[in-house]
Amino acid sequence: MSGWSSPHLLGMRGLAREAIEAVLELAARRRPHAEAQAPPLGLLAGRTVANLFFEPSTRTRTSFTLAARRLGAEVIDYAVAAGSTVKGESTVDTARNIVAMGVDALVVRSAHAGTPVLLARHVDAAILNAGDGAHEHPTQALLDLFTLREIFGEVRGLQVLIVGDIGASRVARSNLWALRTMGAEVTLCGPPTLVPRAFEALGARVAHRLEPELERADAVMLLRIQHERHRAGAIPSVREYARLFGMTAERAARLRPGAIIMHPGPIHRGVELMPEVADGERSVVLRQARNGVAIRMAVLELCLEARRRG
Ligand code: NCD
C-alpha cells in the first residue's frame, strides 16, 4: 500500500502521482470483487461507513455503498431530509454525533465547497469527498483515470476534451488536476460564459468552439449544465447550447478511430449528449459507472488502513 498515507480523500489537487497510482493499482486488484457475484472480502469487517449526502446522488452513493459492503463493512445512510440539519444543526455537529456512535468513515457530499476539509479538521473519522459544491469530486476523477487506463493502457500523452459547464463543475476541476498529474493534455470547451479563460492558468487549453477540437481528442467527456449552481437567467439557452456544443452522431463521426465518449452522469439526453451517441459504440458511460465500485473499494481501504496506522 505504498504511495498512500492519508486517512482522507479530499481532492485531486496536490495529490501525488504515487498516491494516484496506489489507488489505481488497488482498484485493479479489487476489480473482480467489485462484481456482485463475488463473495464479499472481509477486509473492512467490523468497520462502519456512513453516507452523509446533502445533495442528490445516484452513482456515487450507490457505488460507495456497494464498495463498502463488498469489503465487509457495515454501511449506514444519513437521510438529510429527515435529519437534524433541517432543524438548524451544523454539519460538523451532525457529523460528530454520527461518528460518536462508532463510525469509522464518512462519505460526504455537500453543496458547499470546503465541507470535507472542515470535517477532516474537526471530526475524528476518515473523510471521503463525494462532491463539494463546484470544487472537487475526486472519486469521479479517479474512476475516469481508471477507465482511460483500461482502454488506452496509459494516460500520459492522451488528449482529453472536456465539454460543458466547466466553471460550475467539480468533475471538471478534479479531472483537470488528475489528468495533468498523470500527464494527459486537457482542453476545456464551451461558451465563454461557462468556460472562463482563467482555467488556462491551471494548465488547461481553453476553446470556445467545438468543431476544431474534435479531430485531436482521444476522449471526449461531456458534462451537463449545472442548473442548480446558476442564478436564473445566467446560463445560455439550452437549445442554443445543444446546437453549438451537443455531441451529435455527426460530430462523433468526426472523432478519431478509437476515440471514446465519457460522461459522469446524470446525462441530459438531447442537450450535451444525443441518445444515439450515449448508447453508441464509442460510449463508455456504463463502464465508468461500473469502475466506480472498484475505485471506491480502493479509496475506502486505503483511507481506513491509513487511519488505523494513525
Ligand atoms: C456529478 C456530480 O454530482 O458532481 N455526478 C456524479 O457524481 N456522477 C456530475 C453532475 O452532477 O453533473
Side-chain angles (χ1 to χ4, degrees):
M1 291 205 184
S2 63
W4 188 275
S5 55
S6 173
H8 311 297
L9 172 63
L10 303 174
M12 298 308 296
R13 184 177 194 168
L15 208 58
R17 190 189 166 91
E18 297 69 41
I20 296 175
E21 289 287 354
V23 175
L24 298 179
E25 274 160 33
L26 186 57
R29 279 195 279 138
R30 295 296 173 249
R31 180 61 190 277
H33 297 274
E35 307 293 329
Q37 298 88 332
L41 294 168
L43 291 161
L44 295 186
R47 312 289 186 91
T48 304
V49 176
N51 287 324
L52 206 62
F53 279 58
F54 297 96
E55 276 195 335
S57 172
T58 304
R59 283 148 288 267
T60 306
R61 184 184 195 125
T62 308
S63 60
F64 261 115
T65 299
L66 290 173
R69 292 220 178 108
R70 286 171 189 171
L71 288 167
E74 191 182 346
V75 184
I76 60 161
D77 272 300
Y78 172 73
V80 173
S84 285
T85 316
V86 290
K87 298 191 208 165
E89 187 172 59
S90 79
T91 306
V92 169
D93 278 334
T94 301
R96 277 186 177 156
N97 279 271
I98 290 173
V99 168
M101 297 174 204
V103 164
D104 304 284
L106 290 177
V107 179
V108 184
R109 170 167 287 191
S110 165
H112 306 292
T115 299
V117 171
L118 185 74
L119 294 182
R121 244 180 243 151
H122 296 291
V123 180
D124 184 18
I127 304 294
L128 293 105
N129 183 0
D132 61 330
H135 180 227
E136 285 242 29
H137 190 354
T139 54
Q140 181 67 45
L142 288 164
L143 75 87
D144 289 336
L145 288 179
F146 188 86
T147 305
L148 287 166
R149 185 180 271 193
E150 209 176 45
I151 292 165
F152 294 103
E154 167 77 284
V155 173
R156 175 169 296 281
L158 288 179
Q159 295 283 346
V160 180
L161 175 62
I162 309 182
V163 187
D165 186 359
I166 307 298
S169 172
R170 55 197 177 204
V171 175
R173 276 187 185 71
S174 283
N175 259 298
L176 177 57
W177 300 123
L179 288 163
R180 295 296 294 146
T181 303
M182 300 310 279
E185 299 297 325
V186 180
T187 302
L188 305 173
C189 180
T193 45
L194 301 185
V195 188
R197 283 264 168 224
F199 277 94
E200 283 171 347
L202 308 182
R205 281 179 68 240
V206 167
H208 298 311
R209 283 186 56 226
L210 179 58
E211 294 346 283
E213 303 304 322
L214 294 171
E215 271 142 46
R216 53 185 290 167
D218 296 298
V220 186
M221 190 182 294
L222 289 317
L223 301 175
R224 74 181 171 95
I225 295 176
Q226 306 275 308
H227 292 282
E228 70 273 38
R229 302 195 205 289
H230 292 282
R231 281 171 294 106
I235 54 151
S237 124
V238 169
R239 199 187 300 158
E240 172 92 339
Y241 179 84
R243 192 173 64 74
L244 294 173
F245 296 100
M247 184 52 71
T248 58
E250 196 196 351
R251 286 184 172 132
R254 293 179 41 204
L255 297 169
R256 289 181 176 178
I260 59 166
I261 299 284
M262 308 176 82
H263 198 306
I267 296 174
H268 286 167
R269 285 174 179 255
V271 182
E272 75 274 9
L273 185 53
M274 304 310 136
E276 60 275 23
V277 186
D279 303 326
E281 56 180 22
R282 291 184 187 275
S283 169
V284 300
V285 297
L286 295 179
R287 195 157 166 171
Q288 289 171 270
R290 189 180 62 208
N291 286 340
V293 180
I295 282 294
R296 284 156 184 137
M297 286 175 85
V299 296
L300 280 169
E301 212 180 313
L302 290 168
C303 289
L304 283 168
E305 173 59 21
R307 181 174 150 77
R308 195 185 57 78
R309 285 199 313 265

